[in-house]
Amino acid sequence: MITVSAARKSYGDFLALDDVSLQIPDGSLTALLGPSGSGKSTLLRSIAGLEQLDAGTVTIMGRDVTRVAPQRRDIGFVFQHYAAFKHMTVRDNVAFGLKIRKRPKPEIARKVDDLLEIVGLGGFQHRYPAQLSGGQRQRMALARALAVDPQVLLLDEPFGALDAKVRGDLRAWLRRLHNEVKVTTVLVTHDQEEALDVADRIAVLNQGRIEQVGDPEELYDRPANDFVMSFLGSVSRLGDDLVRPHDIRLDRDQQRLAADSGPAGSARVVAARVERVVRLGFEVRVELEDAGTGQRFVAQVTRGASDQLRLEPGDTVYAQATRPSTLAAVS
């Protein structure tokens, strides 16, 4: 387990970590999620020993490593940029940490070949980094970090420099890899979809503090506050409430909408003007303006519902939340 207790870190007048405490269970894949400047990378680098805390402690597997050098913390670290040795082959890049530790050559050869197979780079041993794609270089970097059997794997926005398609493929690959190797992993990301897709636990940071920690379903369905709800997925403001766009129902008939809403029938019905209709495959995003307040919001409906309503810009429709927002109590 990784335990961070009462961590504080400042850069001049900027408080990057403000009394942060966090426990990361053994074998978990935990995402540190937040906007730029929230403190997530500072927290990761403090766990790695690349930043020294002004106050607080870091323990890894029960060992206080707060003042221990990074190379003595038994961690693997992968940055957004691959930091590959350009003059070395893939095999030599992955073997570098083992050679530094003076492991026997047969052990190194066996370990490197096994890891390259695991990360999908079998047969690439003799290529150089310049001969690999961005996704392949990042998988090489992960193999290099795993080669020394670290207790902890730290990933600092490892897919941030890649295009959307490659990022999606690597997210699925990382989840499978984690399930296979079971090393305790901490991932820094500002991408909400990435955190929800990959992690089994998410810590949401904002302005140097942790807003909420939990599994993806808990944070999405029962956010602790408006910040967590708005950061972890799209939201619309319908009247006084924050609502997920897919939790908004539209109808041309106000009375039918209220009558057919079931448990949500007590929720306020809002008259709105359709501003734009965007078809996104099976789903349709409807951009609207509240006729009473002028406030803009977005609803997301199925293609079938949109076709039935025959929505066009300028039309007036009625909107109602099918599931009011549920904010969890902060413990």
Side-chain angles (χ1 to χ4, degrees), residues 244-323:
R244 302 287 184 197
H246 56 258
D247 287 332
I248 296 176
R249 184 180 174 193
L250 302 178
D251 202 312
R252 290 184 179 274
D253 187 313
Q254 181 179 9
Q255 292 183 338
R256 181 173 60 202
L257 180 64
D260 294 347
S261 295
S266 61
R268 188 162 70 95
V269 175
V270 173
R273 176 182 176 273
V274 176
E275 292 195 324
R276 187 167 178 244
V277 179
V278 183
R279 287 168 174 79
L280 304 167
F282 173 73
E283 295 181 321
V284 177
R285 186 176 73 234
V286 186
E287 299 175 7
L288 304 115
E289 179 182 288
D290 187 318
T293 66
Q295 183 172 268
R296 287 178 169 81
F297 64 97
V298 174
Q300 197 161 316
V301 300
T302 66
R303 190 70 171 267
S306 175
D307 290 346
Q308 186 176 16
L309 291 170
R310 299 187 180 186
L311 299 171
E312 297 290 343
D315 289 352
T316 296
V317 295
Y318 297 92
Q320 185 183 49
T322 60
R323 185 172 65 170

Side-chain angles (χ1 to χ4, degrees), residues 97-108 147:
L98 294 169
K99 290 178 179 179
I100 291 295
R101 288 164 174 78
K102 301 187 185 300
R103 304 308 302 165
K105 288 184 179 180
E107 177 187 329
I108 293 175

Side-chain angles (χ1 to χ4, degrees), residues 140-311:
M140 181 191 71
L142 281 161
R144 186 175 61 191
L146 290 168
V148 295
D149 293 323
Q151 287 185 315
V152 174
L153 180 63
L154 305 178
L155 309 176
D156 193 0
E157 306 230 27
F159 309 140
L162 304 173
D163 64 55
K165 174 65 168 63
V166 176
R167 283 204 309 271
D169 291 343
L170 283 180
R171 286 203 304 262
W173 172 82
L174 177 62
R175 185 72 250 182
R176 291 194 300 270
L177 176 68
H178 180 262
N179 289 340
E180 184 168 344
V181 299
K182 297 296 185 184
V183 64
T184 303
T185 302
V186 186
L187 166 72
V188 160
T189 182
H190 65 273
D191 185 326
Q192 301 93 327
E193 182 180 343
E194 184 168 280
L196 289 168
D197 186 16
V198 172
D200 45 50
R201 296 178 77 254
I202 299 173
V204 180
L205 285 88
N206 181 36
Q207 297 182 339
R209 299 185 68 87
I210 292 179
E211 298 282 353
Q212 188 176 4
V213 181
D215 63 58
E217 184 176 356
E218 176 187 353
L219 267 63
Y220 190 85
D221 290 339
R222 294 187 290 113
N225 52 43
D226 283 358
F227 175 83
V228 175
M229 184 173 183
S230 60
F231 196 76
L232 210 69
S234 299
V235 295
S236 291
R237 186 167 288 280
L238 191 62
D240 296 329
D241 296 323
L242 284 178
V243 183
R244 302 287 184 197
H246 56 258
D247 287 332
I248 296 176
R249 184 180 174 193
L250 302 178
D251 202 312
R252 290 184 179 274
D253 187 313
Q254 181 179 9
Q255 292 183 338
R256 181 173 60 202
L257 180 64
D260 294 347
S261 295
S266 61
R268 188 162 70 95
V269 175
V270 173
R273 176 182 176 273
V274 176
E275 292 195 324
R276 187 167 178 244
V277 179
V278 183
R279 287 168 174 79
L280 304 167
F282 173 73
E283 295 181 321
V284 177
R285 186 176 73 234
V286 186
E287 299 175 7
L288 304 115
E289 179 182 288
D290 187 318
T293 66
Q295 183 172 268
R296 287 178 169 81
F297 64 97
V298 174
Q300 197 161 316
V301 300
T302 66
R303 190 70 171 267
S306 175
D307 290 346
Q308 186 176 16
L309 291 170
R310 299 187 180 186
L311 299 171

